[in-house]
Amino acid sequence: MDVVSQLQRQFVDFTTSLYHEGFLDDQFTQLQKLQDESNPEFVAEVVSLFFEDSENLLNNLANALQQQIVDYKQVDAHVHQFKGSSSSIGAQRVKNVCAAFRNLCEGKNLDGCIRCLQQLKLEYSLVKSKLETLFRLEQQILAAGGTVPSMA
Amino acid sequence: MGSVLRRVFKKISGFSNYFERNQSPRSRRPFHRDVEQEEFQYASSHCLSSYYSVFVARLAIMVMLAILIGLLTLLTWHFTRVYTAKSLENLAFGLRYEILQRPILRMWNILNSTVEITTAQVRLSEYVIRRHSNPVNQAQQVELYEVMRDVTWALFASRKALNAITINYRNGFVQAFHRDRRSNSTFYIYSDLVNYSISGSYGTNTLSSLEGWSGNISATWYREPLDPATGEKIGKARKIPPDDLINIAGYSQVPDGAASWHVAVSKYTDSPLLSAALPVWDSAKESIVAVVGVTTALYSVGQLMKELVEFHSGHIYLTSQEGWLLATSTNAPLLKNSTTGTQLMMAIDSEDHVIRMGAELLKRAYGNQFPPSHEVHVENARLGHQLYYIDSFFLNLQRLPMVGVIIIPRKYVMGKVDERAFKTLVILISASLCILAVGCVCIFILTNGVSKEMKLRAELISHLDARRKAEASSNYKSQFLANMSHELRTPMAAVIGLLDILMCDDCLTNEQYATITQIRKCSTALLRLLNNILDLSKVESGKLVLEESEFDLGRELEGLVDMFSVQCINHSVETVLDLSDDMPRLVQGDSARVVQIFANLISNSIKFTTSGYIVLRGWCENPNTYSNTRKFPLNQKESRCMHKMSLKQHTNHTKRSCKKEDKVILWFEVDDTGCGIDPSKWESVFESFEQADPSTTRTHGGTGLGLCIVRTLVNKMGGEIKVVKKNGPGTLMQLYLLLNTPPDTAGKHCSLKFTDHSLMVLLALNGRMGRSIMSQWLQKNQVFTQEASEWHELTQILRELFQAKRYEEPRECSRPGELHTREMKDSVFIIVVDISLLDLNTDIWREQLNFLNKYYGKAKFAWILNHDTSNTVKMELRSKGHLLMVNRPLYQAKMVQILEAAIKERNLELRKKLNTLKSTADGDSHECLEIDPIQYDAASSDDSDKSEMGSPNPVKESHILKPTEFSNTPYVTVENCVVKSNGFSTNDPSQVRSTLCDRLCSGKVVGEHKSLGGLRILLAEDTPVLQRVATIMLEKLGATVVAVGDGKQAVDSLKITPSADGCRRDSPTEDYRGRTETEIRDGPPYDLIVMDCQMPKMDGYEATKEIRKSEMETGSHIPIVALTAHAMSSDEAKCLEVGMDAYLTKPIDCKQMVSTILSLTRRSV
């Protein structure tokens, strides 16, 4: 039980830090709320969907920006989608970068876009690792027989 | 002249330009109506320049008039003067000539007569001397002399004018007659005879005779006076010196033997004398025997001149050619005394200064060289201080040429003329000046009128222009506002939305949170204001179109009152809804606008009411159901009656018209106890931006748009609103609306059959107004009612009632005659207790509850809760078994529910008793009926307040209670309930009675969790993450979700039959799915579509267009909610443009989504 409580505290601390550092926002809480007995793996499912989608999008973006003539419209559509998905899971910092990206896109600033893409990749990898850590913790707690503490 | 005018005009116009230039920069305002301004300026400058041109024209006309009159005057004067002067001058010349002619003629006469006399004397002498030639003796000589004397006398006497006649014989003897005019005596002068030889001298040669002539100087002369008439000697002869008296013409004067003339001066006369001498020849004509001299005084000429001058004035004088003065018209002496005796004077030496000056002038001008004609005319010669005419004529007599000069003062001839001319000139000038002045005045008046008219006209034109512009700009304003509607609302919505997102952020500090809350409040206020203005402008620009859809008026109003009662609780104001039973449940109209009307009115009332109550009354004035027996609450009765009378005429015709069209006139009243409105402002409060008291802006805020919108909307709905006189403080607004009723429900009202159940209600309520209204309503429905306003009263009544019951004494009922104990035994006793009657501040309320608990079982308790009633109280109540709880305020519909619940419970109990069925579950199960406010979309901000009650304490069990039928099974699962009710609401919308029931179930009983229960939603979203999230979210809320990846699929899935739809992901429960599937076949495939805007293949806009196009054929309308991450202004506009109904931003906010979807689906029902 000691392990469980320790894990639980760790989990709580980690989650709180995520919120505080701005990786996640309220939307993620809402997602967690949506998870119940009928969809026990809902959050993980959504997040993995997000990861897949994001990786695709990042690839697409990198490709689009390497083109001779950059189709900003295309880029913008990608970023927009990225923004939509990131905001849906509450990846706040990714979302913010997306917003900045779109502004640059609008200004057709190629250098800015490339820089932004790098930033986006960084933010994405950060949030990905954080979320993976979070899920691992969750798994550990569950494996230890505890319940995942509610953050609500 | 013209150039001067031009210059003047230029100057004036230049001044006006300057004025204009000066004016314009000052009046230019930094305003968007610059163009207008300029045009105004143009108009005004135009006006100004026209004013100046009028001024100049006036000036020019005046100047021309002046010139004309001046010329006329001058010409008149000139002609009159010149012609008169000329003719006068001619006349004067003639006159002068005439005047001068006469003395000259006289002179001529004198000369002639002198000559004649002389000649006659000479002839006579020749004759006499011839007869007596060669006298031989003295006697003969004497005889000769005697004859000569007689002859001479005769001649002398015949000519009175003669001064003297002298005969000088060769021998020196002299005979002479002389008239002394001064003494008027006549003398005969002769020389001494003795000294003269008689003979010898005659016949001698001329030499000796010459000697003889010279030898008589020493002779002695005698003078004897004669009688002038007869020539008789009247006195003694006296000796006189020779040549003393008169000139005796001697031989020297006729040296050549011809007649000679000269002017002589005599001692005895003061005038010059003209003497002529002629020799007397002997018969042989060889020698001169005697010389005859005749002297004539020129005195008569002077006399004549005097006479003439006396008559004509002026001066006349005669001079010899040398300038010796011969005669003048004056009395000045003609001779001067010098050392050598008297001498003639020169004219220039004359004592008369006029003559002297005239002579000097002539001499100066001409000297002695007279012009050849010998005539000189000088006009306007200035002599002294006067002007004279000077004319001289030359009279060329042999040996004595003479010059006559006449000097006539100009005044004499032209004096009158000049005077007249001067007078005429003066008169003309003054007359012309007068005419000029009058003319100028006339012109001024005339042009003044014209210029005034011009000015007025210019003003009128500019006013018309200004009015047209103002109208246009007002129109622009309305249109602008109407067009700006979206552009204004959307950013505000975005701001508020973003603030919401920010507020959800957990990493905010408290201060930040407070600030953001404040910003949100302000933004909401601003949005509300914007909405007001936009509504108003929409109405003004005629863009507001009222919807015509069926809605439950009572329900809307109840929701409204629920909402406002929350606000009112804070300042102890009671909100009461009092709808009469004859109100039609369903009406057709624009529910949102109707609600807006009352929301504005009630919020207005709340704003100004600090204590007391706000009553919203409503009743129906249907000609069929209208009855005078309707009871009016309290003191409003009379005023309302009065008002009705006054509006009777007005409503009459509408009543008539509405009979055909199933229209009803719905009367409403909003009555408050606030500060009231001054009667003078009753009309103006409905104007835009008008507030009854300007100071209220400071205390209460607001823009004064609310009532204006209300009135516009009311008018639009065919009604009228006005402030009505009220007894007591506060305001009473009365309005009526003309609304359609659906034909099938018209006249069908909630006919309650409470009388069957012999109900009895004890109303223990705080609010006086609500209590009395409720009790009146209940009594009207024949429910026995008692009232209690406070705890003690309640306990007292309870004691009375139940002690009476306990003892079972028939007569001991609280209201004898009204209620029998027996009936009471069977009747349902309901106690409605306001939670605020309990003392919640301390712990006394628990005791109070315990006290009431004693009566549990004997009576049903229904609790009126406050919104802020704490959970502990609710838990306590629940644990005590009080499950009938409603939120404040209490109105008829809630009362009905309470009553029905009570009846139901009682029936259940009866049934239980009858069946004697006892189950353990039964003991535990309580019936809980929580009646919640309608989920009223406009009041979505209050959701949190309202949901407070239901959500924390999940309901274990619920009953669906249908008023008309009795449900056999007391245990109905929640799911069933949901499905059933939704089945009703979707498939049988006309089932009016079920709405009440629906509300019981679909409201907060199902709560947040299943608020979208039963809805079939098509989700079109390409992002897998979002798709998943949204699906789960919606499914959690009880909806059935079908997710598709793009717009194309969405359109396709609508086209194919839903039963063949395979892409449905999952449903919450199996039986749910089964049911929905079966039901779906009957209705449209989906209740709602949530559509992402940006999707591959076909984006949301395209898809929506497609769907709407296909809908045109079927006539159905599926609500489509746009889902977009843009959150930008143009998106919403675009969304709405393509036919979407609502608009949600990513990330999806659960609350907002629910309210949006609910509002859409409900409307579609």
Side-chain angles (χ1 to χ4, degrees), chain A residues 26-27 30-31 33-36 39 42 45-46 49-50 53 80-81 83-85 87-89 92 102, chain B residues 501 504-507 1022-1026 1028-1029 1032-1033 1036 1066 1094 1124-1126 1146-1150:
Chain A
D26 197 40
Q27 191 68 23
Q30 287 208 8
L31 279 187
K33 273 187 198 164
L34 288 172
Q35 181 168 297
D36 57 8
N39 298 295
F42 173 67
E45 185 192 341
V46 170
L49 271 173
F50 169 67
D53 192 33
H80 177 223
Q81 206 176 347
K83 187 184 162 199
S85 55
S87 69
S88 293
I89 68 147
Q92 202 180 358
R102 290 198 68 191
Chain B
I501 292 168
C504 293
D505 213 340
D506 283 342
C507 56
D1022 61 324
T1023 319
V1025 179
L1026 257 177
R1028 190 81 190 96
V1029 171
I1032 292 295
M1033 230 180 231
K1036 281 259 170 192
D1066 58 359
Q1094 280 202 342
T1124 164
H1126 288 239
K1146 292 179 200 173
I1148 299 165
D1149 181 68
C1150 200

Side-chain angles (χ1 to χ4, degrees), chain B residues 357-551:
Chain B
M357 283 190 290
E360 277 168 4
L361 186 104
L362 283 174
K363 192 174 167 84
R364 247 197 338 271
Y366 303 104
N368 290 327
Q369 306 294 311
F370 279 97
S373 63
H374 297 283
E375 282 186 19
V376 175
H377 302 287
V378 180
E379 287 177 13
N380 301 333
R382 178 164 286 281
L383 308 176
H385 303 291
Q386 272 193 308
L387 287 173
Y388 290 91
Y389 289 110
I390 300 176
D391 302 271
S392 80
F393 302 94
F394 185 68
L395 193 68
N396 196 10
L397 296 179
Q398 200 184 4
R399 303 241 176 152
L400 188 67
M402 281 193 298
V403 175
V405 175
I406 180 162
I407 301 171
I408 292 182
R410 189 187 156 82
K411 207 165 86 184
Y412 169 68
V413 183
M414 302 298 287
K416 281 276 169 64
V417 176
D418 282 345
E419 200 185 335
R420 274 289 150 79
F422 182 71
K423 272 184 190 166
T424 317
L425 190 66
V426 167
I427 288 168
L428 274 174
I429 285 171
S430 49
S432 58
L433 280 178
C434 284
I435 290 170
L436 189 68
V438 170
C440 284
V441 168
C442 284
I443 288 166
F444 183 78
I445 289 165
L446 280 174
T447 51
N448 212 26
V450 171
S451 72
K452 231 176 228 172
E453 197 190 317
M454 274 172 73
K455 248 188 273 175
L456 282 176
R457 214 172 269 179
E459 227 166 283
L460 193 69
I461 287 167
S462 72
H463 280 177
L464 283 175
D465 218 33
R467 206 187 65 187
R468 194 168 49 76
K469 285 213 173 92
E471 277 168 2
S473 78
S474 159
N475 203 19
Y476 288 150
K477 186 201 73 189
S478 296
Q479 284 198 343
F480 166 76
L481 283 173
N483 291 340
M484 283 302 283
S485 155
H486 287 305
E487 278 66 20
L488 287 173
R489 270 188 244 235
T490 323
M492 279 316 296
V495 166
I496 292 169
L498 290 171
L499 284 173
D500 280 339
I501 292 168
L502 203 56
M503 278 164 79
C504 293
D505 213 340
D506 283 342
C507 56
L508 292 172
T509 64
N510 277 343
E511 289 86 49
Q512 283 171 332
Y513 190 81
T515 316
I516 289 169
T517 318
Q518 207 64 40
I519 295 172
R520 197 187 181 282
K521 266 186 203 161
C522 295
S523 312
T524 332
L526 183 56
L527 184 63
R528 205 161 36 236
L529 172 61
L530 270 178
N531 283 338
N532 275 349
I533 293 175
L534 293 174
D535 277 344
L536 194 62
S537 61
K538 212 174 187 179
V539 174
E540 273 178 1
S541 65
K543 283 194 177 172
L544 183 85
V545 180
L546 291 178
E547 266 179 42
E548 194 67 20
S549 63
E550 224 166 74
F551 70 98

Side-chain angles (χ1 to χ4, degrees), chain B residues 185-186 224-228 230-236:
Chain B
S185 52
T186 311
E224 53 180 38
L226 297 174
D227 178 37
T230 57
E232 295 292 321
K233 197 162 64 177
I234 53 171
K236 289 267 287 195

